Amino acid sequence: QVQLVESGGGLVQAGGSLRLSCAASERTFNNFYMGWFRQAPGKERDLVAVINWSGARTTYADSVKGRFTISADIAKNTVYLQMNSLKPDDTALYYCAGRSTYSSDPTAYTYWGQGTQVTVSS
């Protein structure tokens, strides 16, 4: 069964950093585009960043550009999201997702992890 498992969330003060990890259960995902999305209470699920496994293509939401970095380690079947200079507005449930072609639309993604909570205190 294909699975994506996120980890690394937690509680951090504003200005702090966290690194999220997304482990894929199969190498099938090696040909996929992998995205990080987030959803705050009462809000829609939004794009944070997308990457292909070679790292040749990345996309970031304007709100995280310059603060967050997405990366992929093919050998470990793992995608990372390094989050620096965190703000209270970054508080959300963060999800990892995968699909076979590029998209920034969360509704286009087929495979999802269970999510990891990020809470940024002011």
Side-chain angles (χ1 to χ4, degrees), residues 30-97:
N30 285 173
N31 295 319
F32 276 35
Y33 284 83
M34 303 299 295
W36 283 100
F37 297 85
R38 65 186 182 186
Q39 187 167 18
K43 295 187 177 181
E44 295 183 348
R45 191 171 298 186
D46 292 327
L47 168 75
V48 176
V50 178
I51 191 170
N52 63 344
W53 281 98
S54 70
R57 182 175 184 178
T58 58
T59 300
Y60 293 92
D62 288 343
S63 60
V64 306
K65 283 181 181 177
R67 300 188 299 123
F68 291 11
T69 302
I70 190 170
S71 62
D73 187 333
I74 293 178
K76 295 182 179 180
N77 281 4
T78 301
V79 176
Y80 303 98
L81 184 69
Q82 178 66 44
M83 306 186 295
N84 299 327
S85 302
L86 282 161
K87 305 174 182 179
D89 284 350
D90 295 318
T91 295
L93 190 58
Y94 282 70
Y95 296 92
C96 175

